[in-house]
Amino acid sequence: MSAAPTATTGRLDPAARTDALRRMAQETLDVLVVGGGVVGAGTALDAATRGLRVGLVEARDYAAGTSSRSSKLVHGGLRYLEQLDFGLVREALRERSLILHRLAPHLARPVPFLYPLSHRVWERAYVGSGVLLYDTMGGRKGVPRHRHLSRRRAMAEFPGLRDDVLVGAIQYHDGQVDDARHTMMIARTAAAHGALLATSARVGELLREGESVVGAVVTDLETGERVPVRARRTVNAAGVWTDQIQELVGGTGQISVRASKGVHVLVPRDRIDSRTGLISRTEKSVLFVIPWDEHWIIGTTDTDWDLDLAHPAASRSDVDYLLEHANRLLRRPLTHDDVVGVYAGLRPLLSGESDDTSTLSREHAVVRPVPGLVMVAGGKYTTYRVMARDAVDAAVRDLPDRVPPSRTEDVLIAGAEGYAALWEGRDRLAAEAGLSTARVEHLLRRYGSLTHELLALVADRPELGRPLEHAPRYLAVEALYAASAEGALHLDDVLTRRTRISIETPDRGVGAAAQVAQLVAPVLGWSEADAENEVRHYRARVEAELDSQRQPDDRTADAARLGAPDVRGVRG
């Protein structure tokens, strides 16, 4: 069992990573988690808060895969309700309420959506009854209740809609979260409860004793060192890489994961005249138009993907599809010139008999293919905590020690404690810090009560309180803090996941790259040559992504994206 956390734990700085790898090499863990997405981070937190000795290794960065490339929603999923998957919807709505109101209120908030109706009688009754059930299943402490709107009132909410696309509408609410920051904050919370965490740590081999898995051999991609990590139980939470980890034990297993690509684009807020988000049916799935600070996120596609898992590429046809479907609804058509950001993610769906990925299950599965190894796969972002709980339950089922049940329902995510009071006092906090109230609100919604740590850095070094030159929505201190407390090891980590500069600026973050590299270089021990190399890698990545988005199909887009090497690897 692990020791109680100390007041100094929870910071994900380079020294903590080095110490974590050293201790994982020296100690025998109760649980080793493979994968640093939301399910892996959640599993580490669940196990650590049960008093277990826990380690987590991630080949790239926290949320580097699926968990940073979602629609940024915590929701039950109206389409799953239509598929009569009541259990999944009820479970997801309960988790939505927990995230919004208890676990991470600083990172998540309700967001309104308009569902346009094109038929006067039957559709309002059909959709209205479904949304009523959705609200009822969400419980009292969920989000604002839905309301029926006439055509005139719907157009007042969304003036940018075409006149001929609706006869009325229903407005309802779901939850929104910055998925990458939320995942990283779960990891910080796990570290605060004693978990040992290391990114840039790739599993290439599982340790075996007879038929049993007893840990893994991990390669530190920053140094090249191979680290054997012994554990009583190993949990594979690798998402779309589940089958690859499964192959390390001979491909034995009862589950298989199929990757479905989802593409989203971002356009400036002023390009769509609306006070609310939008959801609409398409022939394959649904189209979301989601408010995202100064932008709109438009998504998503839902297509099979069997190419590179680390860097799924969006093609021109993907972007065309989204713009075409959005323009069927919008008064002012969008063009490729309006797009300031594009991202593609892979959903890890449990394989089924259907050839259509949009109909594959979003339920999750937990199996134990060989002694000592647990695999958890499938599911959706919103239900990460349930998946983590089930994975740990399976891992500890036959351990000789008594292990208490999950308690993460009551474990606040880092930054949540004290957030509500700080939000109410944000004007005073802004005056004390010498910042605008809007700037403090931005910080509180990203860091919660940890905002004090950033303001302390600004008090010590006032220049850190200035906006980044080419990404003025963010302060310089946020880049520094990403490396000193949030586990960022590379420039890409800062620009893509700790901030969202890579998808929120028209140049995809290229202009900000050099300044950010200089800010984090002292923390990460970079030489001038190292910093230049990071900037060069980032620019090559952006150019490869832009090139992929000019290609006509998946295969040519994939080839273009792979033209830029991954920055993670042995230095030198």
Side-chain angles (χ1 to χ4, degrees):
M1 299 291 184
S2 62
T6 67
T8 59
T9 59
R11 290 179 68 87
L12 302 177
D13 58 22
R17 175 185 177 275
T18 300
D19 183 62
L21 284 170
R22 177 187 61 80
R23 289 182 57 190
M24 281 193 268
Q26 295 173 349
E27 303 173 11
T28 297
L29 304 172
D30 293 317
V31 178
L32 172 64
V33 181
V34 180
V38 70
V39 176
T43 300
L45 176 60
D46 188 288
T49 52
R50 299 192 200 201
L52 298 170
R53 293 186 299 270
V54 183
L56 178 149
V57 291
E58 157 59 41
R60 294 189 293 158
D61 183 27
Y62 302 111
T66 304
S67 296
S68 61
R69 308 178 193 186
S70 74
S71 297
K72 323 301 181 201
L73 297 177
V74 284
H75 63 138
L78 273 176
R79 67 169 170 164
Y80 306 122
L81 190 62
E82 188 175 28
Q83 295 168 3
L84 305 182
D85 199 342
F86 298 116
L88 175 62
V89 174
R90 183 182 295 107
E91 180 179 79
L93 288 174
R94 183 176 184 277
E95 294 302 309
R96 181 191 71 178
S97 182
L98 280 173
I99 293 169
L100 285 171
H101 301 294
R102 185 188 303 176
L103 303 182
H106 55 312
L107 302 174
R109 58 199 56 88
V111 61
F113 286 97
L114 202 68
Y115 190 111
L117 302 172
S118 55
H119 299 86
R120 292 190 180 279
V121 180
W122 71 264
E123 189 179 21
R124 185 178 291 278
Y126 177 72
V127 176
S129 62
V131 176
L132 174 62
L133 179 59
Y134 194 69
D135 276 352
T136 302
M137 293 171 72
R140 291 184 181 179
K141 194 176 181 183
V143 295
R145 307 291 283 184
H146 76 283
R147 57 181 185 146
H148 287 259
L149 302 180
S150 65
R151 182 178 178 279
R152 181 179 60 81
R153 291 178 64 194
M155 293 298 291
E157 289 288 318
F158 203 132
L161 278 178
R162 284 173 43 185
D163 295 336
D164 59 348
V165 299
L166 79 166
V167 296
I170 295 175
Q171 189 175 55
Y172 75 101
H173 285 71
D174 251 323
Q176 183 176 70
V177 69
D178 185 328
D179 48 7
R181 289 202 58 77
H182 179 242
T183 297
M184 179 275 300
M185 287 291 203
I186 295 170
R188 283 196 69 171
T189 312
H193 286 273
L196 305 173
L197 312 177
T199 57
S200 284
R202 185 174 61 207
V203 170
E205 178 186 344
L206 294 177
L207 295 174
R208 306 291 292 271
E209 288 183 359
E211 289 297 311
S212 298
V213 172
V214 293
V217 178
V218 177
T219 299
D220 181 349
L221 296 180
E222 301 301 311
T223 66
E225 181 183 0
R226 284 166 55 87
V227 181
V229 180
R230 298 188 66 83
R232 296 204 286 173
R233 297 291 182 271
T234 300
V235 176
N236 172 11
V240 293
W241 287 271
T242 294
D243 290 0
Q244 281 71 14
I245 300 297
Q246 196 162 262
E247 289 173 1
L248 299 179
V249 290
T252 304
Q254 299 96 345
I255 58 175
S256 181
V257 168
R258 184 169 168 184
S260 168
K261 185 178 70 167
V263 175
H264 297 76
V265 301
L266 278 80
V267 301
R269 196 65 178 263
D270 62 5
R271 287 297 289 114
I272 299 176
D273 185 8
S274 178
R275 298 188 299 179
T276 180
L278 181 78
I279 178 174
S280 178
R281 291 175 179 271
T282 70
E283 62 274 14
K284 295 181 180 179
S285 182
V286 294
L287 179 79
F288 284 106
V289 179
I290 307 166
W292 178 258
D293 294 319
E294 298 174 358
H295 297 85
W296 296 96
I297 295 175
I298 301 174
T300 177
T301 63
D302 197 342
T303 56
D304 208 9
W305 178 264
D306 59 2
L307 301 169
D308 182 61
L309 296 179
H311 306 292
S315 67
R316 184 177 181 90
S317 61
D318 291 322
V319 178
D320 285 343
Y321 172 88
L322 293 174
L323 295 181
E324 175 189 343
H325 282 79
N327 286 340
R328 292 178 184 178
L329 304 170
L330 299 176
R331 186 186 300 270
R332 294 172 55 199
L334 300 171
T335 70
H336 283 265
D337 291 339
D338 295 313
V339 174
V340 298
V342 179
Y343 64 93
L346 300 178
R347 305 176 189 90
L349 305 179
L350 295 179
S351 286
E353 297 178 358
S354 172
D355 289 331
D356 184 357
T357 60
S358 66
T359 65
L360 291 182
S361 175
R362 296 310 297 270
E363 299 276 6
H364 69 274
V366 178
V367 299
R368 301 199 297 178
V370 296
L373 178 65
V374 170
M375 296 198 172
V376 55
K380 53 203 268 38
Y381 191 98
T382 307
T383 58
Y384 80 91
R385 195 191 63 82
V386 177
M387 297 175 66
R389 179 198 67 198
D390 292 350
V392 177
D393 283 347
V396 305
R397 186 181 307 152
D398 54 1
L399 285 180
D401 311 319
R402 180 191 174 276
V403 178
S406 174
R407 56 184 297 264
T408 52
E409 186 175 319
D410 299 310
V411 177
L412 303 185
I413 302 305
E417 187 172 0
Y419 163 73
L422 284 175
W423 182 260
E424 292 303 321
R426 60 193 183 278
D427 290 331
R428 175 184 53 79
L429 189 62
E432 292 173 353
L435 299 173
S436 69
T437 298
R439 185 68 72 178
V440 168
E441 288 176 349
H442 162 85
L443 294 175
L444 288 171
R445 285 176 166 168
R446 289 170 48 77
Y447 305 91
S449 56
L450 298 177
T451 295
H452 282 306
E453 296 186 2
L454 287 89
L455 295 181
L457 291 171
V458 172
D460 187 52
R461 295 174 53 187
E463 72 275 12
L464 294 176
R466 299 174 190 151
L468 293 173
E469 292 179 12
H470 296 278
R473 182 167 171 264
Y474 297 92
L475 297 179
V477 69
E478 296 183 73
L480 178 68
Y481 190 77
S484 64
E486 296 184 336
L489 297 178
H490 292 278
L491 184 58
D492 183 65
D493 302 344
V494 181
L495 295 175
T496 304
R497 286 172 290 277
R498 303 307 181 276
T499 70
R500 291 313 180 99
I501 292 171
S502 67
I503 58 172
E504 293 177 343
T505 58
D507 68 356
R508 313 295 171 94
V510 169
Q515 182 185 7
V516 171
Q518 291 302 315
L519 285 165
V520 303
V523 177
L524 298 176
W526 292 349
S527 65
E528 190 65 33
D530 290 332
E532 292 174 357
N533 184 55
E534 289 280 335
V535 172
R536 186 165 55 250
H537 268 280
Y538 183 79
R539 287 175 174 166
R541 193 211 87 172
V542 169
E543 183 51 47
E545 288 185 348
L546 291 172
D547 189 18
S548 73
Q549 291 155 26
R550 292 188 285 265
Q551 303 306 314
D553 55 41
D554 282 353
R555 295 203 173 276
T556 54
D558 178 67
R561 176 60 185 87
L562 293 179
D566 199 314
V567 69
R568 278 181 161 78
V570 181
R571 280 194 182 172

